[in-house]
Amino acid sequence: MRLSLTRWLLSPTTSWRARKLVAASGGQLDFDTAWRRTRLASHPDELPYQRHGHRAPDERRPR
């Protein structure tokens, strides 16, 4: 299952707000970035999870 579909199923309100943000940006913002921004605005306690998702693939692997 694609990540965007999973997000729509698990958090439809956040996904709807992210979709509106993408539309307002005129295509300059992708759905993933908009979803993370929207999610962080309503759930600031999830900042560590957002930072984890934006790491380069090499940094995600435990050493």
Side-chain angles (χ1 to χ4, degrees):
M1 190 179 312
R2 293 183 329 172
L3 181 59
S4 59
L5 177 59
T6 303
R7 286 180 171 166
W8 273 103
L9 294 173
L10 296 177
S11 186
T13 304
T14 302
S15 298
W16 178 253
R17 290 177 182 159
R19 179 66 188 113
K20 287 174 37 179
L21 186 59
V22 169
S25 75
Q28 297 296 316
L29 196 62
D30 69 330
F31 180 75
D32 183 53
T33 303
W35 196 93
R36 290 173 191 259
R37 285 185 186 178
T38 304
R39 187 69 182 181
L40 189 59
S42 57
H43 301 279
D45 57 315
E46 294 183 4
L47 180 62
Y49 300 111
Q50 180 190 30
R51 287 188 177 160
H52 175 75
H54 280 290
R55 290 187 187 161
D58 294 348
E59 295 176 20
R60 291 183 193 163
R61 292 187 206 131
R63 294 177 187 197

